Amino acid sequence: QVSPGLRTPRLPVWLCSVLGRHSVLFSTDSRLLSDWKSERIFHLYFYSGQQEQTKTAHLTIDTHSHHWEAAEREDPRSPGKRCRALEMAIRTKWEGATISWNGTDPFF
């Protein structure tokens, strides 16, 4: 029997398969589960368990885009520009979000 805590989590948790590797993306902010307004700027943590990851990555997600920022960005489908796989996965939920790795070298 599945625990009620697993059926209705208290904190948002996403199990991911990025580039064939399983990982966890989670937040310590329970408001992400119920308050859409909290999805403007928020923090996510990413852990892959891979050897190259020495600590949990702290990501800042900004879903508020400005029209002048869109013009400066290069089309991600262009030959000279490739999006990171984890960022593409995050954008399946929050389309157009900007993602800051907060000083961590992106490893995915």
Side-chain angles (χ1 to χ4, degrees):
Q1 187 175 31
V2 176
S3 163
L6 291 175
R7 288 183 291 203
T8 309
R10 293 185 182 153
L11 296 173
V13 176
W14 295 272
L15 299 176
C16 306
S17 177
V18 180
L19 300 173
R21 295 180 178 179
H22 294 88
S23 54
V24 178
L25 193 61
F26 63 96
S27 175
T28 57
D29 186 357
S30 62
R31 294 177 302 155
L32 281 175
L33 293 171
S34 59
D35 183 10
W36 63 270
K37 293 175 194 169
S38 64
E39 291 187 7
R40 186 187 181 285
I41 296 178
F42 56 95
H43 302 280
L44 293 178
Y45 299 90
F46 178 73
Y47 183 72
S48 68
Q50 300 298 318
Q51 196 169 355
E52 63 269 13
Q53 185 178 6
T54 58
K55 63 180 183 172
T56 303
H58 172 219
L59 309 172
T60 301
I61 314 301
D62 184 353
T63 60
H64 183 73
S65 61
H66 301 87
H67 66 279
W68 61 84
E69 292 172 344
E72 293 176 9
R73 279 191 245 156
E74 189 179 341
D75 183 359
R77 293 171 299 225
S78 70
K81 175 77 173 172
R82 293 192 62 195
C83 287
R84 294 178 182 94
L86 178 60
E87 293 178 13
M88 290 173 42
I90 290 170
R91 288 186 185 112
T92 63
K93 173 125 176 88
W94 296 285
E95 186 177 351
T98 57
I99 299 151
S100 169
W101 286 74
N102 297 310
T104 303
D105 288 332
F107 49 87
F108 252 101

